[in-house]
Amino acid sequence: MRLMTAAMFVLALMMAPASAQMGGGKRNHGGDDKKTDSKPKVDDKAYKAALERIPEPKEKYDPWGIARPKPAAKPN
């Protein structure tokens, strides 16, 4: 009887973390009609205008430029 009680106690302790991950029985059933649009509305014209204002770089960006040695100058 003691062995059975100890086994059930250990099993109950092992189940506690698993039930904590399941959310405690509270599930979203998807029947909520109280939806609010919390996302800001996207303004495509403003987005495109902001992209137009970004200046073009004068030289191409090289992320490995520091890791590589500079190319040798070409003799004329």
Side-chain angles (χ1 to χ4, degrees):
M1 184 68 174
R2 280 185 169 178
L3 183 61
M4 182 70 97
T5 305
M8 292 183 78
F9 181 71
V10 170
L11 191 62
L13 286 177
M14 290 174 57
M15 293 294 291
S19 66
Q21 291 178 358
M22 296 300 291
K26 296 179 183 175
R27 295 183 182 166
N28 187 7
H29 295 289
D32 295 333
D33 291 333
K34 299 177 184 176
K35 289 187 178 182
T36 57
D37 190 19
S38 61
K39 292 183 182 179
K41 192 170 185 177
V42 178
D43 188 9
D44 289 332
K45 290 181 183 178
Y47 173 74
K48 289 179 182 178
L51 287 178
E52 297 283 330
R53 290 188 301 237
I54 297 175
E56 291 293 324
K58 293 178 182 159
E59 60 185 48
K60 188 177 178 183
Y61 176 71
D62 186 14
W64 289 94
I66 298 172
R68 284 187 253 142
K70 299 275 184 187
K74 295 179 182 178
N76 287 335

